[in-house]
Amino acid sequence: TLLLVGTAILIASVVGTLIGIRAAWKRGQRFDSVSSAVTLTLYAMPEFWLGMILLIMFGVGTAFTPGIFPIGGIITPGVEPASIEGILDVAWHMVLPVTTLAVVYLAEYALVMRASLIDEMGQDYLTVARAKGLRDKVVRRRHAVPNAILPTVTLIFMNLGFAMVAVPLRARRCLL
């Protein structure tokens, strides 16, 4: 569970934060419109449904895509888990589940980061930084993003805490 959710949160936090930063900084432009529409759609999509769609498309296969990913288990029988081949096999088995979780988390992080940065961009200290002659790239990197990223970091650690506490407890209840 920690390997699956931790990997998904790590990937989603990096990609989602970068998407949110770019969408906010280019507010009203094409990237913002497209990324906002896609992230809102992904955020509203149930994880189990997206997982089933990815499993059908890339695990089982359709007329348009062959089934290239394994659809069950964490490792292929007969492969030593402690070897390099075993580690690569586990990674191959985790592609679809990690992608499913990462896409949903990514949408959440991108939306929160975008909203936070848009709110931060109206602050007076950014106007002062620009008036001092700093380039937009420097203002964004040194001033706006460090202050705007706090809600996203809070959300990331809340999701990690949920994965470390609630998911193992739920699994323990299922075993009883």
Side-chain angles (χ1 to χ4, degrees):
T1 301
L2 291 178
L3 180 63
L4 172 67
V5 177
T7 305
I9 289 174
L10 180 69
I11 292 168
S13 63
V14 171
V15 176
T17 303
L18 292 175
I19 289 172
I21 290 170
R22 183 161 182 212
W25 207 257
K26 298 190 178 280
R27 185 178 183 194
Q29 294 180 3
R30 185 177 178 146
F31 182 83
D32 178 38
S33 302
V34 171
S35 68
S36 293
V38 169
T39 53
L40 282 171
T41 303
L42 291 173
Y43 185 64
M45 192 176 303
E47 294 171 7
F48 67 88
W49 186 81
L50 178 62
M52 287 190 291
I53 296 299
L54 290 176
L55 191 63
I56 290 169
M57 287 181 64
F58 299 109
V60 176
T62 64
F64 306 110
T65 59
I68 56 176
F69 293 106
I71 58 171
I74 188 78
I75 195 160
T76 306
V79 176
E80 177 62 36
S83 67
I84 297 293
E85 182 184 2
I87 293 170
L88 293 175
D89 190 55
V90 168
W92 187 249
H93 277 78
M94 289 185 60
V95 168
L96 288 179
V98 165
T99 302
T100 301
L101 287 176
V103 164
V104 173
Y105 283 134
L106 175 144
E108 185 178 17
Y109 300 148
L111 290 171
V112 169
M113 186 65 204
R114 180 186 178 277
S116 179
L117 189 57
I118 286 174
D119 185 44
E120 201 65 35
M121 285 170 40
Q123 300 297 323
D124 291 337
Y125 72 92
L126 293 179
T127 307
V128 170
R130 285 189 191 103
K132 289 167 71 176
L134 293 177
R135 292 180 292 151
D136 271 352
K137 190 174 185 178
V138 174
V139 170
R140 180 179 61 220
R141 190 180 70 237
R142 288 190 188 165
H143 299 286
V145 171
N147 290 323
I149 203 165
L150 295 175
T152 307
V153 170
T154 302
L155 187 60
I156 290 167
F157 281 103
M158 283 175 52
N159 286 334
L160 278 173
F162 175 74
M164 296 171 108
V165 176
V167 174
L169 287 177
R170 190 179 304 158
R172 222 178 295 153
R173 284 187 200 136
C174 291
L175 293 175
L176 297 175

